Amino acid sequence: MKIPFFRYGHVFRQQQDEILSALLPIFEKGSFILQNDILEFESQIAKFVGVKHAIGTGNATDALELIIKAAGIGPGDEVILPSHTFIASAAAIHNNGAIPVLADIGGDHLVDPASVESLITPRTKAIMPVQLNGRVCDMDRLGTIAAKNGILIIEDSSQALGAKFKGRCAGTFGLAGVFSFYPAKVLGCFGDGGMITTDDDAIAAKIRLLRDHGRGGHGGMVEMWGRNSRLDNIHATIMLVKMKRYPQEILRRREIAAKYEKSLKRIKEIRLPPAPGSQKEHFDIFQNYEIQAYNRDALKEFLANEGIGTIVQWGGKALHQFANLGFQCHLPNTDKLFKKCLLLPMNTSLTDEEVDFICSRINLFFPRCIS
Ligand SMILES: *Cc1c(COP(=O)(O)O)cnc(C)c1O
């Protein structure tokens, strides 16, 4: 059996005919930039997540950069985010001239509110929780810290479309949130794509200008300096087709997570993410299935020899561990996690037989634990 970590071709094959027939009229009409399909997709995302505004962008990195800009965060300002995230989260802050300040993580691999609180200074303008692996942080605690200190929350919910905390979706907790449609994300397109969600009318209006060269409603007059970061109409068309299946996709991911839980929970040498449904405040969508494993590197190599692809997130390092970025911080929980963390395959191309095979090989690697 050959089980790559992710099957990029599946993103297309899964709904091949439906996608091709939706695209043909778009190509024929030449509906390529800011057409109705984008407005329709934006309104579907707004409704799905439960916010007033959704604004399509070129990718989620741009989306974060645009929010930070629209919020007026710039040189000298600090934004606190976890070190266990993609470089894009911090780059969006850095590229606005502001300073990313890295926090440690808690037992669920998400940012630790206590660590966030300890890093607040008079220059702190915002917290950027990262809703990693398709799970939402404890937004009650982060919300309290933000309110107490008069600072904003900007959510990097790139990995968490449809994930909930206390019944509320990722992307609705702060000033604004973002989603990524990078192919390997839960709702993947055929290239780059992103979305901003917000309930704030003024921020939404400003971001709509910023993402389209600063051009506004009246005959496209330039109202301010902007840039170009629009979601392609072609991608909006593809995503409208994919949205129809999305609720099912989430359920399938949760089913796979439940299978992993059932077959791996007895192995003492590994630690699994919370099982779906096991914590009533959280509805996780399992963008990733991130385990901690004793002897991680040997397990990874063993699985590779068995034809099973796994990865360590971000190429194996948390942000503060990239020496060239110049972060000077001590984040013991994150350091510990990065010796043990591993992503098992988690996507809807996986069959039950494949998940069983992955579990059987892991059980073989830790032989004492076979039940
Ligand atoms: C994927 C990802 C991004 C960036 O998304 P792009 O659409 O590729 O720009 C940012 N943050 C996190 C946590 C991500 O996983």
Side-chain angles (χ1 to χ4, degrees):
M1 224 180 259
K2 193 113 193 91
I3 310 174
F5 178 71
F6 188 75
R7 294 183 173 107
Y8 282 88
H10 180 78
V11 177
F12 170 59
R13 272 196 302 276
Q14 194 182 28
Q15 290 168 282
Q16 180 166 339
D17 296 341
E18 236 186 310
I19 288 169
L20 288 177
S21 53
L23 281 175
L24 195 59
I26 299 296
F27 290 143
E28 283 170 349
K29 277 187 289 182
S31 307
F32 300 134
I33 304 287
L34 293 181
Q35 298 297 303
N36 283 337
D37 310 277
I38 291 191
L39 293 174
E40 175 58 24
F41 180 47
E42 287 174 342
S43 89
Q44 284 198 14
I45 290 286
K47 195 165 153 218
F48 183 78
V49 170
V51 288
K52 274 168 82 177
H53 308 280
I55 304 151
T57 56
N59 53 69
T61 312
D62 282 358
L64 285 169
E65 226 174 286
L66 289 169
I67 296 169
I68 293 165
K69 189 169 204 64
I73 297 171
D77 297 334
E78 295 176 357
V79 179
I80 301 170
L81 75 167
S83 179
H84 183 6
T85 185
F86 187 36
I87 182 60
S89 326
I93 299 163
H94 173 85
N95 290 335
N96 271 297
I99 302 157
V101 175
L102 300 180
D104 211 350
I105 49 171
D108 59 358
H109 305 188
L110 303 180
V111 75
D112 175 14
S115 173
V116 169
E117 194 158 28
S118 76
L119 293 167
I120 288 176
T121 73
R123 291 183 298 277
T124 307
K125 288 290 172 349
I127 304 168
M128 184 189 285
V130 178
Q131 319 296 24
L132 201 65
N133 299 332
R135 178 182 169 87
V136 185
C137 300
D138 182 339
M139 295 309 295
D140 280 351
R141 286 186 66 194
L142 290 173
T144 304
I145 294 166
K148 199 166 81 184
N149 292 282
I151 57 183
L152 298 168
I153 286 181
I154 294 168
E155 269 180 271
D156 183 350
S157 34
S158 296
Q159 297 196 353
L161 181 64
K164 292 176 192 161
F165 175 71
K166 293 191 170 176
R168 237 173 104 180
C169 273
T172 68
F173 290 93
L175 176 71
V178 308
F179 297 103
S180 172
F181 308 126
Y182 180 83
K185 295 282 158 68
V186 272
L187 186 64
C189 68
F190 302 172
D192 282 307
M195 186 75 78
I196 294 168
T197 52
T198 181
D199 273 323
D200 189 305
D201 297 340
I203 285 288
K206 196 160 177 191
I207 286 168
R208 283 192 183 280
L209 292 178
L210 285 173
R211 73 152 178 192
D212 186 30
H213 305 288
R215 294 183 299 182
H218 309 292
M221 293 306 284
V222 174
E223 297 183 18
M224 56 162 48
W225 290 108
R227 55 182 288 188
N228 180 5
S229 186
R230 303 168 299 220
L231 180 68
D232 291 332
N233 201 62
I234 289 175
H235 270 138
T237 304
I238 293 165
M239 302 307 269
L240 282 169
V241 176
K242 301 203 91 188
M243 267 307 269
K244 293 189 211 163
R245 266 190 69 93
Y246 189 56
Q248 268 167 270
E249 296 271 297
I250 293 177
L251 293 182
R252 177 59 184 157
R253 283 176 181 272
R254 286 169 60 84
E255 212 172 84
I256 294 169
K259 277 180 84 63
Y260 275 140
E261 168 79 17
K262 187 158 177 266
S263 310
L264 301 176
K265 70 177 177 205
R266 280 179 294 272
I267 304 176
K268 284 185 222 64
E269 290 89 343
I270 63 182
R271 222 189 115 200
L272 306 176
S278 64
Q279 297 175 333
K280 70 176 194 315
E281 294 178 347
H282 291 270
F283 180 84
D284 301 341
I285 60 150
F286 294 94
Q287 160 70 63
N288 299 311
Y289 195 79
E290 189 170 55
I291 68 167
Q292 296 183 32
Y294 170 76
N295 222 348
R296 189 261 324 266
D297 293 339
L299 172 64
K300 190 175 192 315
E301 197 185 318
F302 174 82
L303 292 176
N305 290 331
E306 297 284 338
I308 300 167
T310 60
I311 62 172
V312 180
Q313 224 163 171
W314 329 124
K317 280 187 197 307
L319 295 188
H320 74 285
Q321 297 172 334
F322 288 109
N324 289 348
L325 297 182
F327 286 108
Q328 306 280 334
C329 49
H330 179 57
L331 303 172
N333 293 343
T334 308
D335 285 338
K336 247 185 264 163
L337 179 72
F338 272 80
K339 294 196 177 92
K340 292 189 280 188
C341 59
L342 187 67
L343 298 185
L344 301 183
M346 169 54 84
N347 59 75
T348 57
S349 79
L350 294 170
T351 63
D352 284 350
E353 292 68 39
E354 288 174 329
V355 179
D356 289 341
F357 178 73
I358 295 166
C359 293
S360 76
R361 296 303 101 171
I362 296 174
N363 273 295
L364 201 64
F365 181 78
F366 297 113
R368 279 161 296 158
C369 305
I370 289 180
S371 54

